[in-house]
């Protein structure tokens, strides 16, 4: 055995065993603290990713608004939009072709474009030549 005294397991002295136990307790405290920090950091990353997604969406919306505002003169755009909407309402066979035009003029988001396409495809068979346009607009809203 070694000359430091006989005591604990494997020839360790009682002082060494006590020191190792104290270190073990300290390491466990550090581990618990680091685990807490990791969990907080992961929650922070999740929150920041959600904020980033929201900010990107807001930037895209603002870019669409800027493009909508910066095109040709408002009177020209309004007149063109009026003509497109009239065609949309008058000719049911043209509606699917006019959705991208209206989407461009109004700067639809991809989700809004999808909603418009869905509304037109869903309402297409239900709207006949004798139906009024107001019944169609109600279905689209």
């Amino acid at each position: 055995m070694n000359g430091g005294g006989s005591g604990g397991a494997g020839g360790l002295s009682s002082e060494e065993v006590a020191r190792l136990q104290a270190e073990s307790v300290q390491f466990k405290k550090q581990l618990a603290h680091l685990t807490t920090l990791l969990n907080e950091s992961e929650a922070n990353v999740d929150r920041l990713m959600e904020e980033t997604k929201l900010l990107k969406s807001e930037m895209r919306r603002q870019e669409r608004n800027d493009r909508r505002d910066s095109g040709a003169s408002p009177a020209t755009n309004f007149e063109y939009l009026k003509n497109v909407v009239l065609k949309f309402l008058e000719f049911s066979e043209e509606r699917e072709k006019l959705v991208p035009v209206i989407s461009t003029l109004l700067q639809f988001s991809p989700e809004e474009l999808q909603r418009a396409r869905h509304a037109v495809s869903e309402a297409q068979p239900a709207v006949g030549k004798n139906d009024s346009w107001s019944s169609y607009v109600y279905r689209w809203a």
Side-chain angles (χ1 to χ4, degrees):
M1 300 214 185
N2 62 8
S6 63
L12 295 176
S13 69
S14 59
E15 293 88 24
E16 289 175 329
V17 169
R19 182 184 56 79
L20 290 174
Q21 287 175 339
E23 282 181 9
S24 175
V25 168
Q26 187 63 27
F27 288 144
K28 287 179 183 178
K29 287 180 182 178
Q30 284 179 337
L31 179 62
H33 177 70
L34 292 174
T35 301
T36 301
L37 288 177
L38 177 62
N39 290 337
E40 289 173 1
S41 295
E42 287 174 344
N44 196 28
V45 166
D46 290 342
R47 182 185 56 81
L48 291 173
M49 293 292 282
E50 197 60 36
E51 283 182 20
T52 300
K53 190 168 126 180
L54 181 66
L55 289 172
K56 284 181 180 180
S57 172
E58 182 63 24
M59 284 176 53
R60 284 190 293 273
R61 187 188 67 75
Q62 186 60 43
E63 287 170 353
R64 284 191 304 273
N65 288 342
D66 290 347
R67 282 193 306 266
R68 189 180 303 132
D69 294 341
S70 69
S73 73
T76 304
N77 280 344
F78 189 73
E79 184 69 23
Y80 184 62
L81 177 61
K82 179 183 81 170
N83 291 331
V84 169
V85 169
L86 282 173
K87 275 188 177 183
F88 183 85
L89 297 173
E90 292 172 344
F91 304 107
S92 62
E93 63 275 357
E94 296 290 319
R95 288 186 180 132
E96 286 187 34
K97 295 176 188 169
L98 291 173
V99 168
V101 177
I102 293 171
S103 171
T104 300
L105 286 171
L106 297 177
Q107 295 294 310
F108 282 2
S109 69
E111 295 81 21
E112 291 166 335
L113 177 58
Q114 185 63 33
R115 284 175 46 202
R117 283 183 173 151
H118 178 73
V120 167
S121 67
E122 190 174 272
Q124 196 77 8
V127 177
K129 294 197 181 231
N130 295 331
D131 289 341
S132 72
W133 64 268
S134 61
S135 66
Y136 180 76
V137 172
Y138 172 74
R139 289 181 192 134
W140 195 24

